[in-house]
Amino acid sequence: MPYAKYCNLKKITFVRNPLAQRLSLYKYGKRKGHQWVEGFSLEDYVLSEANFLARTLECDDSNFKKVLDSYFFVGITEEYDESIKKLGCALGKSSLGEIPHVNKTDSSSELTKLSQDIIEAFKEENKLDYMIYNYSCKIFDDQGN
């Protein structure tokens, strides 16, 4: 039975600080010349879309905890090396070996270009994503303990 071999699948996800993710996407798009950043200033791009994590994870403020709790493992991008170690332990492996962190973009240089007003506006527009991120960090801290 073909389905039987897939019954033991485990869902994992990695999440990133919402503002860092947005800044990284902008920087990546600019570096690669993608049209989805053309014509946007950094400030306009940061505020052009809200709650990316919620859309990606297909959840809302009433079910995000249930959705995240359904994952076998939740990693945090900012804690990549520790996430890989914890994932290995969760899978019963002493080591997963070295797993490269590809497509890495340092968004900290972009953060310094934003005013505090823009940062606060972003946080206000992305409250759900911050709830998801903070809950993900709690799950991450509890994993392997």
Side-chain angles (χ1 to χ4, degrees):
M1 176 183 327
Y3 176 74
K5 69 180 180 180
Y6 299 110
C7 289
N8 199 21
L9 294 176
K10 296 177 179 3
K11 290 191 318 182
I12 67 167
T13 191
F14 278 65
V15 298
R16 187 173 187 182
N17 174 288
L19 183 54
Q21 184 277 331
R22 193 75 184 148
L23 293 170
S24 177
L25 191 58
Y26 179 80
K27 190 171 183 178
Y28 175 81
K30 283 291 197 184
R31 187 178 61 211
K32 295 289 187 176
H34 289 291
Q35 66 183 20
W36 40 263
V37 293
E38 284 183 27
F40 280 103
S41 68
L42 175 62
E43 293 82 3
D44 289 341
Y45 185 77
V46 164
L47 299 176
S48 69
E49 186 178 2
N51 294 311
F52 170 81
L53 275 174
R55 281 193 318 283
T56 302
L57 296 171
E58 298 179 341
C59 60
D60 57 38
D61 59 351
S62 70
N63 70 351
F64 74 91
K65 288 182 179 181
K66 182 179 178 180
V67 169
L68 286 166
D69 289 342
S70 74
Y71 280 81
F72 172 74
F73 181 82
V74 177
I76 303 297
T77 303
E78 291 85 0
E79 300 289 339
Y80 184 78
D81 291 337
E82 184 65 22
S83 292
I84 295 301
K85 287 177 189 173
K86 285 187 174 190
L87 177 58
C89 288
L91 293 170
K93 307 286 184 187
S94 59
S95 172
L96 293 179
E98 187 167 328
I99 302 199
H101 189 170
V102 297
N103 196 21
K104 190 174 184 178
T105 304
D106 179 14
S107 58
S108 60
S109 63
E110 300 302 311
L111 182 60
T112 62
K113 298 175 186 175
L114 293 178
S115 70
Q116 195 59 41
D117 288 342
I118 295 292
I119 293 169
E120 291 305 317
F122 178 85
K123 288 180 177 180
E124 181 65 30
E125 290 296 313
N126 290 275
K127 281 183 181 180
L128 177 55
D129 270 9
Y130 278 98
M131 290 189 308
I132 291 167
Y133 179 72
N134 290 332
Y135 188 67
S136 297
C137 288
K138 180 187 178 314
I139 291 171
F140 177 75
D141 288 344
D142 292 344
Q143 291 173 142
N145 294 331

